[in-house]
Amino acid sequence: MIQGNVNGLSKIVIAELESLFDLKVPKDIFCTPELVEILSRLTFDINREISIYIGRRGDILDVSIGDVGQVSLPYMRMRRSQSRLNGIRCIHTHPNGSGRLSDVDLNALTSMRFDALAALGVRDGKYSQAYVAFINPPGAHEEIEIVGALGLEDFCSKALMDKIYLRDKAIQHQDLVDVVDDGQEMALLVGIDRYGEGTVSLDELEQLAKTAGAVVIGRVMQGRKAPDPATYIGRGKVEELALLSRANNANLVIVDDELTASQIRNLENVVGTKIIDRTALILDIFAGRAISREGKLQVELAQLKYRLPRLTGLGTQLSRLGGGIGTRGPGEQKLETDRRHIYRRIGEIERDLEKVKNRRQALRDRREKNRIPVVALVGYTNAGKSSLMNALSGSRVLVEDKLFATLDPVSRGINIPNGQEILLVDTVGFINKLPHDLVEAFKSTLEEAVYADLLLHVVDSASPNLTEQISVVETLLESLGCKQPIITVYNKTDILDGQENILPIKRPAAYISATNKVGLDELVELIEENLPITRRRVKLLIPYTQGQVLSQIHEQGKIIEENYRNDGVFILADLDSALYGRFAKFKVEK
């Protein structure tokens, strides 16, 4: 069977290509003039590269076709050894007449351990020249030896086969590492630059990729006003991406925007490797970091809603169970089922999350009854919210220098100097282009910010993209309906070395280093000043004749201590300003 791009080829051409499998090359020569003549003529006729793979017995094992400069090397999975060459040589044609080997060719030679890799230049349907590359034995000055330009007689000689056997014997004891099958995701990043800020977005995408466990080996950026509806980037850039992917052994391409099913399918057809978008990458990170049952349900819901409209276009991706970045996480096996099953699962998760939402509301009602002010930490991912939580409360919330280290909301009660108790809540970090389905799924978590009495907007003051990050957070808070007071907390100011004046002016604002515990006292003072519900701890002695006062304090205040004395009921309580003023006449010292 002919591999690769056979679209538009006549049945006669395909039949002649298939007839190549019937040819046999003598064991002791590299190629035959007959085979060279057929490859040159067919290459000229179809104006596409042709690759053939020949075993040491002279059998032609595989034939592949591609557009000029785009033939996949190799299409098939070949025998590989850690101690010897793979026993297969590749000969492919160049329709432009040049037989010079590209970086893609040389990378294929070393990564697949070919006996040899040859490029045959074709001009006007005839052999022009050829170059042949061999892997050198250990200790050689160069890793690869390139021979050429060769005439037809030298190309079809015994001397080239002698080089293969000598090298195979010399390197059979070399300790080689399989660079393809080590399980590592080798990723290329792809983005478009609409307004001159594409590099910033790709920098963040690289952070996301590293958080997910990928090694970023290259980038492709195209300046354009809008994504191409068929392939996201233009056709020329797609071809460049395909070459770059093969030259660098990439097994993953990550696109900086959300793709449609058809865009994913079209890119995979040309590039020949797995394609995921920014949304799938973020979902993958969330899937790996969700710990609580609620968090796992939220991630699964977002995954299902994201992939449901892409069922018809994701091709083989839906069968890649545990296949790496973009395919793992809670509920991935559900994606193998039909739409009806997925819709049913979405309904189940939404009902479960509604119960979680109700439980959260019950907790909020209880806090409201006890009048405990809630201060929510919000901000861009990796800005230092968890570090600040630990610094203020003395707790040990997980802190990592990775994006989205915290998914599940964490609450800690602390007492501020005026004796008032407040509840600190750490929330999930925000990010540019945060997937809509993820925002919807995590609404019960994000509501902690909506219902808080005060927000601490934690900002990474050392970030080169500080202004954009502040804007992303403020926009998302506005979309959630947050209208409460906000204190901007510029974290990591120790890195600025006293240059706080370069930061955007926000009021009120605090300048701290959560790691070094610098500026926390000033921050706590700002919290006291800006809490809409201010509570004061007070000692009261309520006469037995004032039973209604006692009832109001129980209803609207927080009782810390209550003792019955001869002259009345002693109360130690936290009261808001209104209650404190109303019952100040019952205040006592002991």
Side-chain angles (χ1 to χ4, degrees), residues 409-575:
V410 179
S411 303
R412 295 289 184 271
I414 66 170
N415 290 308
I416 53 181
N418 67 2
Q420 187 174 8
E421 181 183 1
I422 64 173
L423 190 68
L424 283 178
V425 179
D426 190 8
T427 62
V428 63
F430 300 160
I431 196 168
N432 192 24
K433 304 178 186 176
L434 190 64
H436 173 74
D437 288 333
L438 205 55
V439 174
E440 287 298 312
F442 275 75
K443 215 149 198 182
S444 62
T445 302
L446 294 171
E447 280 177 351
E448 290 295 340
V450 177
Y451 291 106
D453 299 295
L454 177 66
L455 299 180
L456 300 185
H457 178 184
V458 184
V459 177
D460 179 358
S461 57
S463 171
N465 309 316
L466 172 145
T467 304
E468 293 81 3
Q469 292 178 359
I470 290 176
S471 177
V472 167
V473 174
E474 290 178 344
T475 300
L476 190 50
L477 288 175
E478 183 178 349
S479 70
L480 290 171
C482 297
K483 301 184 184 300
Q484 56 273 76
I486 299 177
I487 298 175
T488 302
V489 182
Y490 287 109
N491 189 25
K492 307 181 186 180
T493 53
D494 52 312
I495 302 176
L496 297 180
D497 196 23
Q499 301 296 312
E500 286 84 357
N501 60 316
I502 67 174
L503 299 173
I505 297 174
K506 298 282 184 179
R507 294 287 185 268
Y511 303 86
I512 70 162
S513 169
T515 303
N516 298 329
K517 298 185 177 180
V518 174
L520 298 184
D521 291 341
E522 292 80 0
L523 172 59
V524 170
E525 288 179 10
L526 280 176
I527 292 174
E528 288 182 357
E529 294 171 6
N530 289 274
L531 272 176
I533 302 174
T534 55
R535 304 176 73 82
R536 301 175 64 177
R537 186 157 293 184
V538 63
K539 297 175 183 177
L540 303 173
L541 185 62
I542 311 299
Y544 287 113
T545 57
Q546 299 290 329
Q548 75 281 5
V549 173
L550 194 60
S551 297
Q552 288 182 34
I553 293 174
H554 272 278
E555 245 178 65
Q556 301 177 40
K558 181 181 178 183
I559 305 296
I560 307 300
E561 183 182 336
E562 184 175 9
N563 293 318
Y564 289 85
R565 299 179 178 177
N566 293 331
D567 49 352
V569 182
F570 172 79
I571 296 288
L572 177 62
D574 289 338
L575 306 179

